[in-house]
Amino acid sequence: MAAFIAAGYKTPLTAVVFVAETTGGHSFIIPSLVGAAIAYAVSGEASVSGGQHLHELARIEGLSNMQVRDVMQKRVVSAQAGATVR
């Protein structure tokens, strides 16, 4: 299942988490990782979601000439561990 999800939807880690959650154990995590990684690599640019590939190419082409300092956040918002939601 992890291999099909990773190859079809291009989400290898999601596939592994799905298998771990549905089986209720950790014994399938390593085989799922191996299967998902191989399926992801072998599937190449194919995807079940047709629009996914177009958006991915647009993002990569748009970011190819940018520097990290141009897109990084300079103001980091954080909260104390003991703080309440209010």
Side-chain angles (χ1 to χ4, degrees), residues 11-26:
T11 55
L13 293 179
T14 302
V16 173
V17 171
F18 173 75
V19 170
E21 288 290 322
T22 56
T23 60
H26 61 278

Side-chain angles (χ1 to χ4, degrees), residues 9-70:
Y9 291 100
K10 299 301 190 195
T11 55
L13 293 179
T14 302
V16 173
V17 171
F18 173 75
V19 170
E21 288 290 322
T22 56
T23 60
H26 61 278
S27 61
F28 294 110
I29 292 177
I30 300 299
S32 296
L33 280 169
V34 171
I38 291 171
Y40 182 83
V42 169
S43 65
E45 296 181 7
S47 176
V48 172
S49 177
Q52 185 178 21
H53 182 65
L54 296 174
H55 295 296
E56 184 178 307
L57 286 177
R59 260 189 310 194
I60 291 171
E61 289 174 0
L63 296 174
S64 63
N65 294 325
M66 295 183 87
Q67 298 289 321
V68 173
R69 66 175 171 257
D70 297 334

